[in-house]
Amino acid sequence: MKNQVSQYQQMGKDILDAIGGSANVTSVTHCMTRLRFILKDNSLPQDDQVSTIDGVIGVNRSAGQYQVIIGQTVDKVYDAVCALGGFTKAKPINEDIDTQPIAKTTFSWRRLGATVMNKLAGSLTPMIPMLVAASMFKMFAAVLGPSMLHILTGSSDMYRLLTFVGDAGFYFFPIVIGYTAAKQFNTSPIVAMFLGAIMVHPELIKIVTAGKPFSIFGIPMHLVNYSSTVIPIILSVWLMSYVEHTLKKYVPAALSTIFVPTLTIIIMLPLTLCVVGPAGGFLGTYICNGILAFGKLGGLPTILAIGVIGALWELLVMTGMHLVMITTMMMLIAQAGQDNFVTLGAAAASISVAGMCVGAALRLKDPKQKALAWSYLLASIVGGVTEPALYGIAVRYKRTFLGMMIGGFAGAIYAALTHVAAYVVVPVANFLCLTAYVHSDVGNLINGIISGVIAFVVAAIATYIIGVEKKPHKASKQALVHDAKTVEG
């Protein structure tokens, strides 16, 4: 234990020395895998020197931060750094919950697509913890219920509990997304949640189910059920941000507490229920149906597309672009109840990271690097944290990246050929990602698990055959280093 403490102290000292000493540090915090420094002079740290420190996986400069990638022991190193530098400890960053200030940028048609995707991803990714929990309840209901193991009857209290708790995570999307979208568009989260609650109120559902004409202030309302929808509430909150901002400019401060939220909802009711909501519902349905139809084609283009997702998924993770794909995954399962496209590649790719670790561990000669590779395997397959493996192996030894891609491609191709579909959102990178395939059709689950086994075995064999370089590449020299969130930070 004492040796471990001294090891972290030595790492902390070496890191501080390499970045210009404690005098060059304005503040420091950490996330799940990284130390995040705000430095006075960013030119002082030598990236190559920092990345060669024992225990350091790599470095990254992003958003004004100097980030030192450590892995799962980052909290121990952080404590040592704070003690050595006399820094005040800060709350660890949870990137699924903590939001960053959104900088105002001028409109640009060139950046329109990226902006839309960023706002969409920013509105949905904070919901991942809720979706993980809800998906687990739905999985337990499917496995234990009458469709599979018959342990629980359809009328039992436990089965009904598991079912309605799992469904709640998806049914009330408009309320939860109202909050997360409000954070993205800098408007009132509570008023946005209220707007979302209106969209799923039981009375509105009754009106829609009855199918009889209904009007909002004399304007005919389109009969749309907004439960489990994504796009309508995001579009509505975006529009609401302009309405609320305008009202705050013209309503006197003494009256704003009462009139701004009330007038905002009055204005948004016809806009949401008669215009924006129906349009967003149509758009979301069109996107989901299009992707599902493409996934069901089963032809060579579809199979190859799913294989490409499996091969390139971890590259998307390293660049942060995977958030767009996760957004699509969430929309498909929330609105259509299944995903036969994105999850197939993502799950296979996640398992292939663990396979790469095995292949690299068997091939590496350096005892220390071999031991690290085995530890990365545990972090990936059990902990669901792929970042140590990605930066400690795939980026450091470039050949291994190819082995991982081959494994992800092979597993995804098998899933595509056997028409596997995911029925719950399990946005984690460990073996539990395969529970996304749990369904009354046991063959679907079996083929999903086989696809994961293929990804693991093929990645391990391919990595072992391709081998590793004698001289590893510096992780700090990679231009694509970015937060790998599956959920890691």
Side-chain angles (χ1 to χ4, degrees), residues 464-477:
Y464 182 83
I465 293 174
I466 294 171
V468 297
E469 298 91 331
K470 292 182 179 180
K471 293 184 179 181
H473 298 266
K474 294 287 192 300
S476 58
K477 292 183 179 180

Side-chain angles (χ1 to χ4, degrees), residues 309-369:
I309 293 176
L312 300 182
W313 181 263
E314 295 304 331
L315 184 62
L316 296 176
V317 168
M318 294 176 68
T319 59
M321 293 172 63
H322 71 303
L323 296 178
V324 176
M325 303 295 284
I326 288 179
T327 298
T328 305
M329 181 195 307
M330 291 164 64
M331 285 176 54
L332 284 169
I333 292 179
Q335 294 186 222
Q338 63 172 296
D339 170 20
N340 55 9
F341 195 71
V342 180
T343 304
L344 278 58
S350 298
I351 299 297
S352 72
V353 175
M356 174 196 66
C357 292
V358 173
L362 294 174
R363 194 64 188 262
L364 286 164
K365 302 299 182 184
D366 185 341
K368 188 171 184 179
Q369 294 301 319

Side-chain angles (χ1 to χ4, degrees), residues 7-17 77 80-81 84:
Q7 175 190 348
Y8 298 137
Q9 289 176 339
Q10 186 61 50
M11 282 181 62
K13 181 179 182 302
D14 292 343
I15 291 170
L16 284 175
D17 290 343
V77 182
V81 167
L84 290 167

Side-chain angles (χ1 to χ4, degrees), residues 226-267:
Y226 295 107
S227 60
S228 300
T229 59
V230 174
I231 302 297
I233 184 62
I234 293 179
L235 289 176
S236 296
V237 173
W238 168 66
L239 190 59
M240 191 192 93
S241 67
Y242 290 98
V243 172
E244 186 183 55
H245 178 71
T246 302
L247 288 172
K248 284 182 177 179
K249 285 172 61 177
Y250 294 103
V251 175
L255 302 175
S256 63
T257 303
I258 297 174
F259 286 102
V260 169
T262 304
L263 291 174
T264 297
I265 292 298
I266 289 174
I267 294 171

Side-chain angles (χ1 to χ4, degrees), residues 206-216 219-223:
K206 286 182 182 179
I207 293 170
V208 173
T209 305
K212 296 180 180 179
F214 190 82
S215 63
I216 307 294
I219 303 172
M221 183 188 80
H222 292 269
L223 301 177

